[in-house]
Each structure stands twice: as structure tokens, then as C-alpha cells.
Amino acid sequence: MTQPYSPDPRGHTRSTPGRLKVYLGSAPGVGKTYRMLDEGRRRLDRGTDVVVGYVESHNRRRTEERLAGLEVLPRLHREYRGAQFTEMDVDAVLARRPEVALVDELAHTNIPGGKHAKRWQDVRDLLDAGIDVLTTVNIQHLESLNDVVQKITGVPQRETVPDEVVRRADQIELVDMPPEGLRRRMVHGNVYGPEKVDAALSNYFRVGNLIALRELALLWLAGRVDEGLQRYRAEHGIGGVWETRERVVVALTGGPEGETLVRRAARIADRASGGDLLAVHVARSDGLADASPAALSAQRQLAESLGGSYHSVVGDNIPTALLDFARAENATQLVLGTSRRSALLRAVTGRGIGETTVELSGDIDVHMVTHEQSGRGRRLPMPGGPHPTMQRVAGATAALVAPVLLTLVLTQTRGSLNLTSEALLYLLTVVGVACLGGVASALLAALTTSLLLNYYFIPPIHQFTIDEPNNVLALAAFAAVAVIVSTIVERATLLSHRAARATAEAETLSALARNVLGGEQAIPALLARLRETFGMDSVSLVRRGRSGPDTVLATATTATDRGSGAEGDAALEEVSVGGDAVLLLRGRPLPAADRRVLTAFAAHVGAALERERLTEAAAEAEPIESANRSRAALLAAVSHDLRDPLSVAVAAVTSLDSQDIELPAEDRRELFAVGRAALGKLARLVDDLLALSRLHTGSLAPDLQPTTVSESFLAAREALGEVPATVQEDGLDDAPAVLADPALLERILANLLANALLRTPEGAEIQVSARSLGDHVEVLVADRGPGAPVTDRDSVFDPFPPAGESVDARGSGVRLPLALSRGFAEAMGGSLTPEDTPGGGLTMVLALSTAE
């Protein structure tokens, strides 16, 4: 027996926020509330002031037993849509000021009218007041997992709690149970009542569903534990690797060996149960790395398809960057490919990235994986630089002419400048030549200016001899500075050129990504962007025919080249996009430097083509999947409705056929009536199912004719039998005739009236009215029932209840009448929509065209 509530006993105050402990359940019925109450009793026994703010026992005997001895605060009563509900009285808990409050169902949505919409917001108020809170929540109510749980169970979760609320709890305790144990608990009646057990076991509580929910709960909690571990390591400055879980990092360079490394790393991670795979590429900070975007994209897709993740970090020291990333991720193993450099090159250049990484790895295991490219050497860099051939010729010419012209000017002003100023002018000339023609032209200019400076300005003049040693040193320094400066200028120009190209490539690829994500017409946008980027006349996506002609899938051309596709034209460039599809580019020849971006375009086109293929396949599969879902839902739902009338009819016939008992005539008549009613219910159900099948297949052909609404409603009332006097009619006789099938209209009105009678409390009024609005007539059937939330109104037209729901508002596992009514209305060119009834309830609005 619970202790009575007193408003002002052992209240306490605390300046610090309260602590939150969450009991996280893998599924309903695993024992979260029981565990929370057990903890509350333990704390009470230790002398802690504990109260129950809100606990929902669901009439479970053992849960109610654990409430005994705990102080239970009275609940707050609220009226909503004509019904009474109870909520936690937050103000009462705050006034009582216990040390610990027990609050069940953290994700619960409060009845409108309170301070907060969600219970977790009420809990936050209690925590802010310094009250410790014990609460419960199931894994399916976490916001981030809502869609995942719906895909697994087929049940949308409308009550959710933000992950951050649970993540910030001071303690999270997982309440778990094997699926078989939970199903046994349900069979014994410890979770749901006997009438709901069969439906629950065959729907939401299937073994596969429970296993998946259990795995979700374990993985989510494991992620939170890992976050706590990383936070602890960061707070305590722990940089070493703690091998709590195998994390395998594979380093990718964009080379041809990447796929081999990813697969090997995936096998290493798979051997450690629950191991993580992380692929990482280290990019140079100056953007000069020669990695292939297409190769990296393919390797990224491979890593993600194997359950891993892809990361990109920036660093000039590759071994240090790799190890910093690995330690930040608490990685235990690092996979590298052996060097592609030849033995001779390794002997000349010394240790490579792999050897340095092994030396610096510390407690991280490093795997050096051999591959086909090992020791074959790297390709030499592309010849040339930022200076075209004509520019280099101009630079060489300037290296010979500019110093001579400068000498002519200086000889005319001899005596006005000293030797230092003259040398600086010559140095400036060398720098200018370096900017124009590169380092080779600058070296030629340095040689020319050195000779001219010596001959015309260093004593003895007009001789190549030098008298003073200081002048010898000055001339040597001048030549050295000229060479160094020209080299630096050449390098700076090269870096500027490459940076500009990298920026252009990045902008191009960024625009490319926007085109891919911007809409469904990805391939035409990609082809148009490709043609514009490279200035081609036309770009075509062609599927090569294996035995027949090629098929042009899409083409992008210039305004002056419309109509000239790929067929019949000699394409200058052909790039594979995967499978039997290729890109054909017609126009100017492409330089080798453009091929990297072209390959990236091809990778995006291939991805877009694959996405379109998958979308088409999904669209083709959707009707089949929908039919399968409907079939499965139908079989699950009709079992209840078929079983009841069949059981009643069989029992009645068996009793009538019994030879052991002589039944009085009155009992026999009663049994005949019961059997007839059961068979009639069964016949109506079969008729509804057949009608639904005709609607789905489109074989229902209404016989449209002018029909009077009042006559159809009168026939619907008669079909329902005895209708209470609370059904009021308004405006039916004055409504103009509508264009409808009389039989279907009568059936719609009968279904709507029957639904209103079932929803409306006894004695409440049901209003049936009609109104003419332009070219159509609206018939409104308004009940005074609980209504339906705005976001959930269309669910009343679902022919089958959600998985896990055994009965609906009418006590039937199939909700066909309203679904059929909407289908009939739409088949006659009308509509059936739900609206709120003023004052509470739901109004069904049937709209049909007038006969005129």
C-alpha cells in the first residue's frame, strides 16, 4: 500500500542541478520500470527521500508490488476532447522537493494545456531544481533511431526524445533480455493482457524484430560508452592507445594499390569482432599532391561498402599526420602499402614513409602490405611547368637583350650611380627574366649580366679581369644571388600556377557536386557542365552494345551544334564511366593536365547513372513490395475477424447438431440467430475484402447517375438497423442531387454513420448535414469521439492496423469500412477527408460533384 501524499514533509534544497539516471530498454516489457522501482526502494532503504512522480504499471502485478512502500504523489487530471487523462503534477513534485523522483516514460507527450509538450522537458525542470531523477525510455523512442526502428518493425514511433537528452544523463543503464525470454514473459501474461498476446507475438514482438532492437540498443550504448572513454582520455591527457576495441586505419595514396590495402584492412577488422575500419588519405597542405580523385573515390566507395568510413586529413609530414590521426581515433592497427619506389631510388633517397611510420608508431601495430606495384617505381612528374614554349623562347630572348639594353642606359649615365646600385639593377633584370621565362632563362640572364657588369663597370673597365679581391667577391655574390632568386621566383610561379589550377579544379568539382545533388536530372546537368568546363562541341553518354548498335543515353551540345550527337561523329576522347557505358567528347584535343578532372567527371556520371538504375529498380519493385506488405498485413489482420465469426458459427452449428442434449425450441431459435449473425458478419467482411481488391486492381466501375443524398442516407440508416435518436439530420432534403453510384453512396454513408456511432459516447449527439458549394455537394458526418491528431488523421483510412496493434477503435483487427469509403468516393470522382468537430470529435467530409 502506498504512503499518502503530504505537501510539505522532508523537503530539501540544493544549489547544484540534479543527476539523471536513465534505464534504457531494448524493447517494451524488458523490465525498465521494475528496475527503476527496485533502485528507488534501495535508495529509500538507505535513508534517501524518494517519491514517485509518475509510474505507469500497465496493470502488471509485479510492477505494482514494487510500488508498495514508496510515496506516490497524486497525478494531475486533465480533460481533452471529452475524455479524462492523468499526467505528472510537476508543481507538486517541485513543492515536495524530494531528493529523488521516479518518472516513468521519458518520451511521453503531455496532454495539451500544461507548461511543456514533452515529459522530458518536465524532467529538465526537476533537474534544474536540484532533484535527482530516475527515468525510463525504450530504444525505439530515440529521435535518431526513429526511422530505423520503423523500417525494422513497420511501426512509426510518434513519441520521441532527442538523443542529446539521454546522452547527457549522468548514468545510462541498459535493461536487456533475450528475445526468447521476453516472448515467454508475454505468453505468461506479464506484459500484455491475454487478448493482445497473439497479435503482439506475430507482429512487433517477432524474434527478428527483438534481435534487431536489442542490437540497436547495444550499439547505441556502446557508442555512448566510447564517447565517455574518449572524453576521459582527453581530460586526463592520455595519448596512448587503449585497446578497448580494434580500430584498423588504412592509409590511401590514391595509387593503384589502394583497393588491395582496403580489402586487407577489412579482413583484419573482421577478424576482431566489432572492429572498426577507417580509411584515411593525407593531402599536402599546398595542394600539390598527385593523388587521383577517381581512384580515391573508388577506394572510398569500397571502404564504405565494407562497413568502414573515409577520412581526409591535411599534413606535410605524412608519417606524423597518419599517426596523429590513428592516435586521435584510438586505433590499434595501421595498414600501409610497401613502397612503390625502386630499390635504386630507395638507396639514393633513404627511408620512405613506411619505415618512418614504423619507427614512430609506438604502441600501434603497423602492417606493411605487399602489392603488385611494389618496387615498380613511381611515374616521373610531367615535363614542363607553368611556362609555355613560346613564353620560354621570349624569356631566353629577354635574357640576352634586356641586359644589353640596360648596359647601354647605364653607360650613358656613368658616374651617377655606384657599383652597388648598378648590380642591383642587373639583379632586378634577372628576376624579371625569371618571371617571364623560368629558371633556365634566368640562369642565362645571370651569366649575361655578370659578364656585362664585369666588363663595363668593375675596374679595370673594358677588361674581363678584376683587380680588387672585394670586387671578385661582390661579382660572385651577385651571380649566386641571381641564381637563388631566380630559382625561388620559378618555384613561386610554379606553386602559384598549381594553386590556381587546384582552385579551378576544386570550384569545378564543387559545382559538379551541386549539380548532382541539385535535382533528379543529374546526368544532363553533368554532361552540360562537362561540355562547358572543357569547351567541347558535344558530350554524349553512350551504352556500348554487346551484340547490337550503341545506345545514346544523353547528349549535351552547343547552341550551334544541336542535332549532332555522338553517332556518326569521330569522338576525340572516350572515357569509361563503368560497366558498358562511356563518355564520348567531340571537340578540341584535351591536354593531359585536364584528364584528372575529366576522370572525376566520369566517376560522378557513373555514380549518377547507377543511382538512376537503382531508382528505376526501386520504382519497379515498389508495387510488388507494396502488394507483399498489403498481403502480409491482410493475413495478419483478418485472422482475428475471421476467427471470431467462424468460431461462433461453428459453436452454434455444433450445438444444434448435438444428439446428446435436447434443446428447447427457444434455445434452438436463439442459436440459429447467433449463427446467422456470425455468418452475416463473415459475409460482410468477405464483401469488404473483395471490394478492396477491386479498388486496388482498378476493376471497380461505378454506375454514375443523379442520386439524392437524403434517399441514400435513409437507405443507409435502414441497413444499419436500429439507429439511436441522437443522430440528427440537417439540410439533407435541400441538397441537390449528386453524380454517384447509388449503391456505393449508400455504403459510404452507412460506413460513416457506423463509425460515428462507435466513436461517440452514449447519449452524445451525432450530426449529419449537407451543404452545396458551387459545383459540388459536401455531406458531413460529425461525431463527438476522441478525434484524431492533425498529423495522424489519414491513418484512420489505413485498411490494416499498424504492426503490433491487435484491435482498432471498433474492436476489429481490420479497418476496412473507412478505407473502402474513401476508395469508393475517389472512384466516383469525389473525396473523403477528416476534419475537427467544433467542441471535440472528428468530422468526415464527403465531397461529390452535383448532377448538373
Side-chain angles (χ1 to χ4, degrees):
M1 192 172 179
T2 60
Q3 298 178 6
Y5 167 66
S6 66
D8 59 342
R10 312 182 299 256
H12 83 291
T13 57
R14 187 169 72 182
S15 58
T16 59
R19 295 175 61 83
L20 176 65
K21 182 173 183 177
V22 176
Y23 290 90
L24 177 65
S26 57
V30 294
K32 306 178 303 300
T33 305
Y34 188 93
R35 189 80 61 86
M36 178 184 69
L37 291 172
D38 209 30
E39 175 66 16
R41 293 175 65 89
R42 281 196 295 270
R43 296 196 184 193
L44 182 64
D45 293 340
R46 293 197 298 265
T48 305
D49 184 16
V50 179
V51 301
V52 175
Y54 186 95
V55 166
E56 185 60 65
S57 66
H58 298 287
N59 297 322
R60 297 168 187 165
R61 179 177 56 83
R62 295 191 177 185
T63 302
E64 292 176 347
E65 289 175 354
R66 302 309 291 172
L67 275 167
L70 292 171
E71 179 181 348
V72 180
L73 300 184
R75 298 184 181 182
L76 189 66
H77 292 267
R78 285 203 180 101
E79 182 178 351
Y80 181 68
R81 296 184 181 272
Q84 290 291 328
F85 299 91
T86 62
E87 294 285 0
M88 179 176 67
D89 192 339
V90 181
D91 293 335
V93 179
L94 293 174
R96 171 64 174 77
R97 301 197 67 82
E99 293 180 77
V100 178
L102 310 185
V103 181
D104 208 3
E105 298 181 353
L106 183 64
H108 172 74
T109 300
N110 294 329
I111 296 299
K115 179 180 179 182
H116 297 303
K118 292 287 189 176
R119 181 164 293 161
W120 62 264
Q121 296 171 312
D122 296 336
V123 168
R124 186 173 57 191
D125 287 350
L126 300 182
L127 295 172
D128 291 341
I131 302 173
D132 293 344
V133 176
L134 308 183
T135 188
T136 65
V137 69
N138 280 327
I139 191 67
Q140 72 264 24
H141 294 300
L142 294 180
E143 183 65 45
S144 66
L145 300 177
N146 186 264
D147 57 336
V148 179
V149 173
Q150 182 174 351
K151 290 178 182 178
I152 294 172
T153 64
V155 180
Q157 300 295 330
R158 295 180 177 86
E159 292 190 328
T160 60
V161 59
D163 288 47
E164 191 64 22
V165 174
V166 182
R167 186 182 288 112
R168 290 187 176 182
D170 298 278
Q171 296 182 55
I172 304 176
E173 182 175 323
L174 179 65
V175 183
D176 186 28
M177 177 178 287
E180 295 78 8
L182 180 56
R183 286 168 63 85
R184 282 196 301 271
R185 177 179 286 185
M186 295 195 64
V187 171
H188 294 158
N190 294 331
V191 179
Y192 293 145
E195 72 281 359
K196 296 183 178 181
V197 171
D198 290 341
L201 290 176
S202 61
N203 291 283
Y204 191 91
F205 288 86
R206 294 194 299 268
V207 173
N209 288 359
L210 296 178
I211 293 174
L213 291 173
R214 192 183 190 197
E215 182 179 10
L216 280 178
L218 291 169
L219 290 175
W220 189 90
L221 188 60
R224 304 295 77 73
V225 172
D226 191 61
E227 288 178 2
L229 175 62
Q230 298 297 342
R231 186 166 53 251
Y232 177 86
R233 283 162 46 86
E235 291 173 354
H236 292 78
I238 301 173
V241 175
W242 286 7
E243 299 183 9
T244 55
R245 189 192 332 186
E246 290 290 348
R247 285 184 173 87
V248 182
V249 173
V250 54
L252 301 178
T253 64
E257 74 282 357
E259 293 187 1
T260 301
L261 301 181
V262 171
R263 290 191 175 92
R264 179 60 183 274
R267 290 196 297 271
I268 295 173
D270 287 341
R271 283 197 287 268
S273 180
D276 295 334
L277 172 64
L278 300 92
V280 60
H281 169 68
V282 179
R284 290 271 300 277
S285 60
D286 57 9
L288 300 181
D290 194 24
S292 168
L296 282 175
S297 175
Q299 292 161 18
R300 174 178 186 164
Q301 292 176 6
L302 177 61
E304 292 175 347
S305 68
L306 295 174
S309 57
Y310 178 85
H311 308 266
S312 181
V313 298
V314 177
D316 293 325
N317 190 315
I318 295 178
T320 301
L322 279 177
L323 292 172
D324 287 346
F325 173 82
R327 292 192 176 98
E329 296 293 333
N330 199 26
T332 56
Q333 304 187 57
L334 179 60
V335 177
L336 300 173
T338 54
S339 177
R340 282 181 281 160
R341 297 179 303 161
S342 63
L344 177 61
L345 188 58
R346 287 199 300 271
V348 173
T349 59
R351 293 186 310 173
I353 294 173
E355 292 87 344
T356 306
T357 303
V358 170
E359 181 179 336
L360 301 176
S361 61
D363 49 5
I364 299 177
D365 298 335
V366 180
H367 300 262
M368 299 293 295
V369 180
T370 59
H371 49 85
E372 294 182 353
Q373 304 298 323
S374 296
R376 293 191 176 184
R378 294 181 177 270
R379 291 178 297 175
L380 292 175
M382 296 295 292
H387 304 284
T389 302
M390 292 301 296
Q391 195 170 346
R392 291 180 179 277
V393 172
T397 304
L400 296 175
V401 175
V404 173
L405 295 177
L406 179 61
T407 301
L408 292 176
V409 174
L410 292 178
T411 53
Q412 298 299 320
T413 59
R414 189 186 298 276
S416 59
L417 299 173
N418 58 24
L419 181 59
T420 302
S421 300
E422 293 166 343
L424 289 175
L425 290 174
Y426 277 113
L427 182 60
L428 182 61
T429 303
V430 173
V431 172
V433 171
C435 294
L436 178 63
V439 68
S441 299
L443 291 175
L444 179 58
L447 176 61
T448 305
T449 54
S450 297
L451 293 176
L452 293 174
L453 183 63
N454 181 17
Y455 189 80
Y456 285 100
F457 301 101
I458 296 179
I461 298 175
H462 301 148
Q463 296 182 22
F464 288 106
T465 59
I466 302 176
D467 290 341
E468 296 184 12
N470 287 337
N471 290 339
V472 174
L473 180 60
L475 184 60
F478 169 81
V481 169
V483 172
I484 293 172
V485 170
S486 62
T487 303
I488 293 174
V489 170
E490 167 78 2
R491 178 66 175 173
T493 306
L494 176 64
L495 292 178
S496 175
H497 173 80
R498 291 188 179 179
R501 179 165 184 84
T503 301
E505 290 181 1
E507 292 175 352
T508 299
L509 295 177
S510 175
L512 175 62
R514 287 196 299 271
N515 284 338
V516 173
L517 299 174
E520 296 180 355
Q521 302 296 324
I523 291 181
L526 285 173
L527 296 185
R529 182 71 182 182
L530 193 154
R531 187 199 61 77
E532 294 170 1
T533 300
F534 296 107
M536 306 302 288
D537 295 332
S538 68
V539 177
S540 300
L541 178 61
V542 177
R543 175 169 284 123
R544 292 299 191 190
R546 297 181 179 179
S547 57
D550 297 341
T551 303
V552 179
L553 303 178
T555 300
T557 61
T558 61
T560 58
D561 200 30
R562 301 291 184 195
S564 61
E567 296 182 4
D569 295 323
L572 296 179
E573 299 289 344
E574 177 176 330
V575 183
S576 174
V577 299
D580 53 0
V582 296
L583 281 176
L584 299 182
L585 291 82
R586 186 173 62 85
R588 67 182 182 88
L590 289 178
D594 287 339
R595 295 186 181 277
R596 183 168 63 177
V597 179
L598 177 59
T599 306
F601 266 101
H604 280 280
V605 172
L609 189 63
E610 178 65 12
R611 187 177 66 180
E612 287 191 359
R613 186 190 67 80
L614 293 175
T615 302
E616 293 174 358
E620 294 174 357
E622 177 57 29
I624 301 175
E625 178 64 20
S626 178
N628 289 337
R629 287 196 301 267
S630 297
R631 188 179 299 110
L634 174 63
L635 292 175
V638 301
S639 59
H640 175 272
D641 289 72
L642 291 175
R643 183 171 61 246
D644 281 357
L646 281 175
S647 299
V648 172
V650 169
V653 172
T654 302
S655 299
L656 289 170
D657 190 49
S658 175
Q659 303 298 325
D660 300 333
I661 303 175
E662 183 67 27
L663 295 174
E666 183 178 350
D667 291 346
R668 294 179 64 84
R669 284 193 297 273
E670 184 177 349
L671 286 173
F672 273 119
V674 170
R676 186 181 300 109
L679 292 176
K681 180 179 179 181
L682 184 63
R684 287 193 297 272
L685 175 61
V686 173
D687 287 343
D688 284 348
L689 293 174
L690 290 175
L692 183 65
S693 175
R694 292 169 62 196
L695 282 174
H696 283 175
T697 58
S699 59
L700 181 67
D703 180 17
L704 300 181
Q705 54 185 280
T707 306
T708 304
V709 174
S710 59
E711 294 179 357
S712 297
F713 183 71
L714 180 60
R717 290 190 63 149
E718 293 175 353
L720 291 178
E722 186 175 345
V723 176
T726 54
V727 177
Q728 301 295 320
E729 302 176 20
D730 181 26
L732 298 184
D733 294 332
D734 299 331
V738 296
L739 193 63
D741 186 314
L744 295 183
L745 179 57
E746 176 188 334
R747 198 164 176 183
I748 293 174
L749 295 175
N751 288 341
L752 296 182
L753 182 57
N755 179 73
L757 290 170
L758 287 169
R759 287 177 171 269
T760 301
E762 186 175 355
E765 182 181 288
I766 295 175
Q767 184 75 26
V768 181
S769 59
R771 60 192 182 192
S772 179
L773 299 174
D775 60 351
H776 67 278
V777 173
E778 289 186 349
V779 181
L780 296 85
V781 181
D783 63 48
R784 293 296 177 178
V790 176
T791 56
D792 196 35
R793 284 178 181 167
D794 278 347
S795 66
V796 300
F797 297 109
D798 292 340
F800 314 115
E805 180 185 315
S806 60
V807 296
D808 68 356
R810 299 183 307 278
S812 172
V814 183
R815 301 182 295 186
L816 291 176
L818 289 181
L820 286 172
S821 298
R822 171 174 273 190
F824 291 156
E826 292 175 350
M828 295 187 295
S831 64
L832 180 61
T833 56
E835 295 180 356
D836 284 330
T837 300
L842 194 67
T843 298
M844 290 293 178
V845 181
L846 172 66
L848 293 172
S849 299
T850 58
E852 289 79 7

